[in-house]
Amino acid sequence: MEYQGSNNWECLLDPLDHTLRSEILRYGQFVEAAYRSFDSDPMSPTYATCRFPRNSLLTRSGFGQTGYRVTKNLRATCGVQMPRWIGGVPSWMSTQSSWIGYVAICQDKKEIARLGRRDVVIAFRGTITCLEWVENLRATLIEVPDYVGPKSGGPMVERGFLSLYTSRTATFSSLQDMIRKEISKIIELYGDEPLSLTITGHSLGAALAILSAYDITATFANAPMVTVVSFGGPRVGNRSLRCQLDKSGTRILRIVNSDDPIPKVPGFVFEDGDDVESTKNVHVANLPRWILKYVEDTQWVYADMGQELRLSSKESPYLNKSSLATCHDLKTYLHLVKGFVSSKCPFNEMMA
């Protein structure tokens, strides 16, 4: 369970523990399978759907024998639409609901024995459709619905990410409803045995992973241990959201490329280095409290979540250092994880 974050990966990240590296790469492959399974051809009649049947998704996406069985396809719906005054655009540009990932449950007895539990994976791809890009740009913070607690200072998340998580159409349920329903089934089926829930994603998928983790732990009192493994994720919410995640026992491992701009947006971060709730009578980033309060009211002050594993494209001789797209690519992240040894040896060519 320490590899799942039970001890916040203490003494496992620097130097990077070999088994933890293997687990990070394994969960990265689940995300890679989500990308490969998505029909991204705008000319295809099945654009924005899953290319493969559930029972063969992992093998046909090139993952091989995993011991996991996909039990649920997941869709995300954009809460924005193309303005009516924009006429004549191709239908694929206005696609509102798209396949975003899947839920998979470990069924292999040997894998369950290796892990010491039955693992459930929720994997999300990153941004692909036009309206998903539009949602990404809705970057101000908004209060989390259904939060039970003080109205002031409650958890807030990026407006566009929340929209993708909670929006629905007459045809499709929201991503939130699909996840809640599936997790309810899983707890009912396997709740009497050791169980873990690992939510993983890249870019937009990393943001949705954190939202899902918060929602699951807030909804289910008997939720299993929840771990997020995120690759190149943007900022998602404020300090209060981070505090709620910490209180719930959720463990978050953020894999970050220091040369990738996406983890540095949206908004900006003020940190005090203390408990996330103890901001009274302190100066944050050398700013008086009243200035911090004014800035927070602009709904642009975010917080970084969880533990960070920081990598750098500059350390690898195999990567195009000038390409921002390369720096953000999931393949780059997995390549850097393979080669990372420690902060003193950030990349070992022999291992990559």
Side-chain angles (χ1 to χ4, degrees):
M1 295 301 288
E2 287 190 30
Y3 293 117
Q4 203 70 12
S6 62
N7 200 28
N8 274 315
W9 298 282
E10 186 175 342
C11 301
L12 295 177
L13 296 174
D14 192 8
L16 182 60
D17 180 89
H18 178 70
T19 301
L20 179 57
R21 174 188 290 105
S22 298
E23 290 299 288
I24 292 171
L25 293 172
R26 187 170 69 92
Y27 288 119
Q29 286 184 291
F30 281 104
V31 183
E32 186 71 28
Y35 273 114
R36 291 178 179 177
S37 300
F38 183 76
D39 187 348
S40 58
D41 180 3
M43 298 298 104
S44 170
T46 57
Y47 172 70
T49 65
C50 183
R51 298 168 54 214
F52 310 124
R54 273 188 336 199
N55 60 2
S56 61
L57 185 154
L58 293 175
T59 53
R60 294 184 66 179
S61 63
F63 201 166
Q65 297 300 318
T66 64
Y68 287 72
R69 177 173 60 89
V70 175
T71 61
K72 181 71 175 178
N73 283 310
L74 300 174
R75 299 182 70 92
T77 298
C78 300
V80 295
Q81 300 181 26
M82 280 290 183
R84 294 181 179 179
W85 53 267
I86 300 180
V89 297
S91 60
W92 60 269
M93 292 187 66
S94 57
T95 299
Q96 194 173 2
S97 183
S98 306
W99 186 86
I100 195 80
Y102 58 89
V103 180
I105 302 175
C106 186
Q107 302 287 3
D108 184 77
K109 291 182 180 180
K110 289 184 179 179
E111 184 68 359
I112 292 172
R114 183 184 75 85
L115 295 171
R117 64 193 183 279
R118 186 185 298 273
D119 188 38
V120 179
V121 168
I122 302 178
F124 296 114
R125 62 165 176 82
T127 307
I128 294 180
T129 73
C130 286
L131 290 183
E132 287 169 0
W133 282 107
V134 174
E135 289 283 32
N136 288 348
L137 298 176
R138 301 172 70 197
T140 54
L141 290 165
I142 186 173
E143 292 180 355
V144 174
D146 304 322
Y147 168 67
V148 178
K151 291 186 177 180
S152 62
M156 303 179 75
V157 299
E158 201 247 29
R159 182 182 298 270
F161 300 153
L162 184 64
S163 174
L164 279 162
Y165 190 67
T166 60
S167 295
R168 58 175 60 87
T169 67
T171 307
F172 299 110
S173 300
S174 69
L175 178 59
Q176 179 184 55
D177 290 342
M178 285 186 278
I179 288 176
R180 286 182 177 182
K181 186 175 180 179
E182 188 67 12
I183 294 302
S184 179
K185 287 181 181 178
I186 290 169
I187 292 175
E188 184 177 350
L189 284 171
Y190 305 111
D192 60 346
E193 61 181 89
L195 190 66
S196 64
L197 177 58
T198 308
I199 315 177
T200 185
H202 169 250
S203 195
L204 167 64
L208 294 176
I210 290 177
L211 281 182
S212 302
Y214 171 82
D215 187 50
I216 289 168
T217 54
T219 302
F220 298 96
N222 57 343
M225 179 180 179
V226 178
T227 300
V228 174
V229 180
S230 80
F231 300 88
R235 295 170 184 151
V236 179
N238 64 353
R239 290 195 304 272
S240 180
L241 179 72
R242 180 174 67 189
C243 182
Q244 294 300 317
L245 286 163
D246 289 343
K247 284 181 177 179
S248 72
T250 300
R251 297 293 180 250
I252 301 173
L253 179 58
R254 291 185 303 113
I255 295 93
V256 173
N257 180 359
S258 59
D259 304 303
D260 177 7
I262 299 302
K264 302 170 187 175
V265 296
F268 42 91
V269 173
F270 288 144
E271 297 290 358
D272 58 14
D274 296 319
D275 186 295
V276 293
E277 290 189 319
S278 61
T279 55
K280 295 181 180 179
N281 301 320
V282 299
H283 287 65
V284 181
N286 297 319
L287 293 177
R289 176 65 182 169
W290 68 270
I291 293 182
L292 174 63
K293 179 65 170 62
Y294 174 80
V295 176
E296 284 181 332
D297 288 343
T298 66
Q299 299 179 346
W300 279 91
V301 178
Y302 284 74
D304 291 323
M305 312 282 168
Q307 296 295 316
E308 180 182 274
L309 175 60
R310 182 163 290 273
L311 313 169
S312 175
S313 295
K314 294 177 182 177
E315 304 296 340
S316 171
Y318 306 110
L319 297 174
N320 182 352
K321 314 298 189 298
S322 62
S323 171
L324 295 181
T326 298
C327 289
H328 185 58
D329 196 295
L330 176 62
K331 291 183 176 64
T332 295
Y333 273 83
L334 300 182
H335 168 73
L336 293 175
V337 170
K338 287 179 183 178
F340 181 80
V341 178
S342 69
S343 56
K344 295 181 179 180
C345 180
F347 193 85
N348 186 329
E349 295 182 36
M350 300 297 293
M351 296 177 64

